[in-house]
Amino acid sequence: MGLTVSTNMGVPDVHDARDLPREVLALQATSPATFAVTALDGHRFAWVKPAGPAGPEQLIVADPATLQSWMKDEWKIGSVTGWPDTIGQLLGPEAMANTRSAEQHQRLRQLFSPMLRDDSMARMLPKIQGSVQRYMREWAAKGTVPAYTETLTLVFDVLVNQAMQLDWPDADIKKYAVLFEVWNQGFTPSTADPRWAKGMEARKELVARFRSAVSDPRLLPGSIPATLRDEYCAESDVVTDNLIMVLFAGFETSTSLTVRLLYELAKHPDALQKLRAEQQAVAAKYGPTLGLKALGAMTYTEAAISEALRLGQMVANVPRVATKAIETPRAPPVPAGCPFSASWAGQSVLDPAVQGSTTAFNPDRWLDKRNKASLKLHQTPFGYGTHSCLGWRIARAVAAAVAQELALAYELSAETDAAWDDFPTGSRPANELPLSLKPLAASAQ
Ligand code: HEM
């Protein structure tokens, strides 16, 4: 694939990919990152036909400057989310990702904003670390475990008990993590797929469980569920749709990140070695408990997490529909009603800081000052602007806590000879990544 960038400054670099074969178009639903990169073929924009038999043409956008200007204030520029009907119904119409009310969207973002604050992170970090230590001890005791499935439960626990502060017992965490995976498998291209119907059944149970949680007098004041209930009332769909929204946004995405990191560290002992050295130094300086200062000192670990995000492309593209014509200088005109896709994956491969080593795991590229501006511009795994991620610090914290615990306490081996399947909010090893952890002291004997 050649990287062709227009040299004619006034003319947008648009590729006509309308003649893609049906099997490539079908990748839109099953393998969004591969689809976007294939369709763009190194260009900044590409026109493609719909995946199904009918529907309008779609523009794929991978030009960083255009994405920044379009995503910064979407309500004003005239763009709304265009998630497929299957996901739309699984989430519910009042969810932050679906609502057509700018006012409600902005209010919800304010109510969720504590997830990004230092004081919330300072509260959560030791608890996330405690959960990670407990789960990893269990994995080590079991022998070889499917890392992906196990991490889904760990992440579900963090989302429910730390991000939402719901204090659900272990039995509920295990039960509802399995149920949420059924919900998640409902992300099929069509509502005719039986997995979608099962996902919708799972949704009913989740709604009932969340409704009982927000009516419980023991609900922690100031927690996100309590804040939503106080704003909208316990029976409101806005509350349940948006608690499901947190799970949708954080579940597969954060799991994919953590598992991708484990996979890369299993394949790159040199990187694991550097990580161990860093974690030992951080523990010596800040003590054993994970806090904001310790996290801030994990330079190499954070670089490894950024590299895992870049390789995994957990949210490869986000779908949008123009509500009015959008005309900006660097982009082809988008008529009102036209769907377009903000392709974080397509933008990522255009980055000069990754050229020639796009598929290599190289955390050091993040530590090279010469790459800083380029990486910042092209690598935006958590989106940009109006709908940008509200949970990115939590996702990175889980990955950092796992890396820390691994580095300080375990030897790992994993079956890394597997393909990765991508889908709307994650990327998953086909073999679930069989993983064995051995306590360091025992493996040294
Ligand atoms: C590796 C993990 C994650 C990745 C890659 C990721 C990525 C993203 C991206 C790209 C968006 C923008 C979607 C769009 O523009 O339509 C987004 C939105 C969002 N994320 Fe994350 N996310 C992750 C984890 C999390 C977690 C752990 C939470 C919650 C605890 C979370 C909560 C949200 C919410 C609530 C939104 C919607 C914001 C809105 O519509 O205004 N995310 N995320």
Side-chain angles (χ1 to χ4, degrees):
M1 179 183 67
L3 282 178
T4 319
V5 175
S6 171
T7 47
N8 185 349
M9 286 313 282
V11 182
D13 176 29
V14 190
H15 181 52
D16 186 348
R18 291 178 177 95
D19 59 354
L20 287 174
R22 282 255 155 257
E23 59 275 18
V24 178
L25 284 175
L27 292 174
Q28 282 183 65
T30 56
S31 199
T34 311
F35 171 73
V37 173
T38 308
L40 286 157
D41 194 20
H43 296 266
R44 286 166 184 260
F45 302 90
W47 283 109
V48 293
K49 282 190 172 159
E57 289 178 347
Q58 184 197 150
L59 184 69
I60 302 181
V61 185
D63 177 51
T66 300
L67 283 173
Q68 288 192 2
S69 79
W70 290 8
M71 309 305 273
K72 194 173 169 194
D73 191 354
E74 293 192 55
W75 296 109
K76 201 159 143 204
I77 197 150
S79 121
V80 292
T81 56
W83 294 98
D85 197 30
T86 45
I87 299 184
Q89 291 196 48
L90 283 163
L91 270 174
E94 305 297 341
M96 215 183 296
N98 280 338
T99 177
R100 290 293 179 257
S101 157
E103 201 186 325
Q104 178 168 311
H105 179 252
Q106 278 152 12
R107 182 66 186 137
L108 283 165
R109 283 187 70 92
Q110 277 171 356
L111 298 175
F112 275 83
S113 62
M115 287 198 310
L116 287 177
R117 278 199 330 240
D118 270 2
D119 59 336
S120 309
M121 287 310 296
R123 166 185 62 77
M124 273 187 257
L125 284 173
K127 293 186 175 163
I128 291 176
Q129 182 188 32
S131 302
V132 162
Q133 289 174 336
R134 187 161 60 87
Y135 278 82
M136 287 178 81
R137 254 196 319 273
E138 282 173 22
W139 301 351
K142 281 189 203 166
T144 304
V145 293
Y148 200 90
T149 325
E150 298 286 344
T151 309
L152 280 173
T153 313
L154 161 64
V155 166
F156 189 84
D157 196 338
V158 168
L159 294 174
V160 169
N161 282 338
Q162 270 95 65
M164 301 188 204
Q165 298 179 269
L166 280 173
D167 201 21
W168 285 4
D170 251 14
D172 271 17
I173 292 296
K174 292 210 162 70
K175 174 179 165 190
Y176 285 94
V178 171
L179 189 76
F180 195 69
E181 176 61 352
V182 176
W183 180 94
N184 206 44
Q185 293 296 327
F187 288 7
T188 49
S190 153
T191 53
D193 190 311
R195 286 171 300 173
W196 179 77
K198 283 191 188 154
M200 290 301 285
E201 281 303 307
R203 179 186 152 84
K204 282 189 201 151
E205 276 190 63
L206 286 160
V207 167
R209 184 64 183 85
F210 277 138
R211 212 149 258 168
S212 99
V214 292
S215 310
D216 190 328
R218 288 166 302 175
L219 187 63
L220 196 68
S223 62
I224 283 174
T227 308
L228 289 174
R229 178 202 56 193
D230 297 347
E231 178 91 4
Y232 297 100
C233 94
E235 293 75 35
S236 167
D237 290 345
V238 183
V239 176
T240 41
D241 287 3
N242 283 290
L243 294 180
I244 291 180
M245 172 77 212
V246 173
L247 298 180
F248 159 68
F251 185 60
E252 291 263 8
T253 50
S254 313
T255 301
S256 299
L257 167 59
T258 293
V259 173
R260 186 74 192 214
L261 184 63
L262 287 168
Y263 167 90
E264 297 297 347
L265 291 173
K267 278 184 76 160
H268 298 92
D270 51 329
L272 181 55
Q273 196 66 34
K274 286 187 192 172
L275 198 98
R276 282 198 205 286
E278 174 171 276
Q279 290 297 343
Q280 280 156 5
V282 169
K285 185 157 183 198
Y286 297 99
T289 308
L290 184 59
L292 282 177
K293 283 199 176 133
L295 197 61
M298 295 180 186
T299 318
Y300 187 79
T301 307
E302 289 293 345
I305 291 171
S306 297
E307 194 65 345
L309 280 161
R310 185 186 68 77
L311 289 168
Q313 293 299 328
M314 287 84 197
V315 184
N317 313 298
V318 289
R320 297 291 192 261
V321 178
T323 53
K324 52 188 184 198
I326 305 177
E327 293 194 18
T328 49
R330 294 173 61 93
V334 175
C338 178
F340 68 91
S341 167
S343 182
W344 311 124
Q347 172 183 271
S348 168
V349 298
L350 292 176
D351 187 349
V354 310
Q355 298 296 298
S357 61
T358 314
T359 56
F361 177 72
N362 176 15
D364 288 315
R365 77 171 91 240
W366 293 85
L367 305 175
D368 183 337
K369 285 196 175 67
R370 287 167 304 177
N371 290 335
K372 204 174 163 195
S374 189
L375 288 168
K376 188 168 179 228
L377 185 65
H378 293 86
Q379 309 300 330
T380 51
F382 296 105
Y384 188 86
T386 305
H387 286 274
S388 64
C389 185
L390 292 168
W392 66 269
R393 292 186 82 182
I394 299 175
R396 293 189 76 112
V398 174
V402 167
Q404 179 196 42
E405 191 57 14
L406 173 71
L408 295 179
Y410 296 102
E411 206 58 73
L412 94 159
S413 61
E415 286 175 34
T416 53
D417 189 15
W420 287 75
D421 301 326
D422 46 310
F423 49 91
T425 60
S427 110
R428 185 171 186 148
N431 66 356
E432 297 282 309
L433 194 69
L435 174 90
S436 316
L437 295 178
K438 273 203 193 108
L440 270 179
S443 67
Q445 283 160 12

